[in-house]
């Protein structure tokens, strides 16, 4: 492939990797990871609510990795309440999983920036044969893609398996009991999915630029090269 086309592909990959880092940073600080509704089962059972009356007992909840908001509906109007994971909810949430999600988000953001720098260096500089060359580009893309997948798996398990929304809804509730009525992943969660796909796309761009995968080199090529060297 001509050098100009390689530079263009590396520039595109660098921009995508930088956008991935910005997207991860934005997702890390928002409350748009999960959105849902919570049902006040205690109030609904007291008045035997059903049909349209049930909507008076359905509130809203949304949260991210650090904080969120819930609106409790127990038949007397909505009562919004802000909450924070640190340190308020550490007693009721799977803290190890939650901290791991934050850690992998940080790793994804850092290595996406590192990858963007190396892509630009390979586009406009003189790449080395070690971590500045194809092996390094594949490495950064693989690490970022793996972190994105781990983030989605861990956070999904925290929400679905450990019933995170329901635990948050019932935090410090002595009288009323709440049950998750509906929940769905919001924009920030899907941003991490897009970032993972972007890093996979970067690996394809490296391949299109003419670089073979580092561990797929045949032994015959090395033998032929050695024989040619001996001739001179």
């Amino acid at each position: 492939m001509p050098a100009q086309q390689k530079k263009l592909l590396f520039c595109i990959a660098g921009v995508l990797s930088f956008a991935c880092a910005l997207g991860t940073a934005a997702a890390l600080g928002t409350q748009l990871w999960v959105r849902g509704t919570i049902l006040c089962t205690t109030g609904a059972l007291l008045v035997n609510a059903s049909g349209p009356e049930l909507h008076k007992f359905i509130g809203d909840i949304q949260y991210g990795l650090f904080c969120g908001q819930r609106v409790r509906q127990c038949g007397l109007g909505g009562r919004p309440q802000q909450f924070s994971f640190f340190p308020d909810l550490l007693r009721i949430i799977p803290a190890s999983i939650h901290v791991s999600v934050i850690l992998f988000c940080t790793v994804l953001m850092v290595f996406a920036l590192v990858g963007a720098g190396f892509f630009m260096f390979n586009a406009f500089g003189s790449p080395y044969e070690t971590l500045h060359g194809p092996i390094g580009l594949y490495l950064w893309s693989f690490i970022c893609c793996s972190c994105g997948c781990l983030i989605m798996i861990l956070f999904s398990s925290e929400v679905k398996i450990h019933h995170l929304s329901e635990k948050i809804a019932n935090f410090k509730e002595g009288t009323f009991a709440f049950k998750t009525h509906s929940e769905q992943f919001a924009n920030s969660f899907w941003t991490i999915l897009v970032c993972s796909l972007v890093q996979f796309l970067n690996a394809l761009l490296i391949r299109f630029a003419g670089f073979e995968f580092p561990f797929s080199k045949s032994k015959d090529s090395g033998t032929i090269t050695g024989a040619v060297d001996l001739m001179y």
Side-chain angles (χ1 to χ4, degrees):
M1 180 177 288
Q4 293 298 327
Q5 294 184 20
K6 287 185 179 181
K7 287 185 178 181
L8 178 61
L9 288 178
F10 284 142
C11 286
I12 294 174
V15 171
L16 290 176
S17 189
F18 184 73
C20 177
L22 292 181
T24 305
L28 193 61
T30 65
Q31 300 181 10
L32 302 177
W33 283 74
V34 174
R35 282 178 174 171
T37 56
I38 50 176
L39 172 65
C40 180
T41 56
T42 305
L45 289 174
L46 284 175
V47 299
N48 197 20
S50 61
E53 297 177 350
L54 199 62
H55 290 285
K56 296 181 180 180
F57 299 91
I58 297 178
D60 299 318
I61 186 172
Q62 69 173 22
Y63 55 88
L65 298 180
F66 294 97
C67 58
Q69 181 181 11
R70 63 179 182 177
V71 179
R72 301 162 64 235
Q73 291 271 12
C74 296
L76 301 174
R79 289 174 289 174
Q81 181 183 12
Q82 296 283 341
F83 60 86
S84 175
F85 283 95
F86 303 98
D88 299 339
L89 299 175
L90 281 180
R91 294 174 298 171
I92 63 170
I93 66 172
S96 59
I97 297 178
H98 199 78
V99 173
S100 297
V101 171
I102 297 174
L103 178 62
F104 282 120
C105 283
T106 305
V107 173
L108 172 58
M109 181 175 57
V110 170
F111 277 93
L113 288 174
V114 171
F118 278 110
F119 276 117
M120 290 301 179
F121 183 83
N122 278 270
F124 299 105
S126 300
Y128 295 107
E129 293 296 330
T130 54
L131 292 181
H132 293 73
I135 298 178
L137 298 181
Y138 281 117
L139 178 63
W140 312 133
S141 299
F142 175 76
I143 291 175
C144 293
C145 188
S146 300
C147 287
C149 293
L150 287 172
I151 291 168
M152 291 185 293
I153 292 172
L154 290 175
F155 189 75
S156 298
S157 67
E158 186 180 9
V159 173
K160 299 298 182 180
I161 298 177
H162 294 275
H163 306 289
L164 184 61
S165 300
E166 195 165 312
K167 289 181 178 179
I168 293 173
N170 289 283
F171 178 62
K172 290 185 177 179
E173 289 292 341
T175 306
F176 297 98
F178 292 87
K179 184 179 180 181
T180 303
H181 187 261
S182 66
E183 64 181 358
Q184 59 275 343
F185 296 109
N187 298 341
S188 295
F189 179 85
W190 300 119
T191 299
I192 300 298
L193 174 61
V194 172
C195 290
S196 300
L197 295 177
V198 164
Q199 295 301 328
F200 181 76
L201 176 62
N202 282 348
L204 294 180
L205 290 177
I206 301 170
R207 180 64 186 89
F208 290 152
F211 289 131
E212 295 286 348
F213 193 74
F215 306 107
S216 62
K217 295 180 180 179
S218 62
K219 296 181 180 179
D220 295 337
S221 61
T223 305
I224 295 173
T225 304
V228 173
D229 293 337
L230 290 175
M231 292 176 63
Y232 295 95

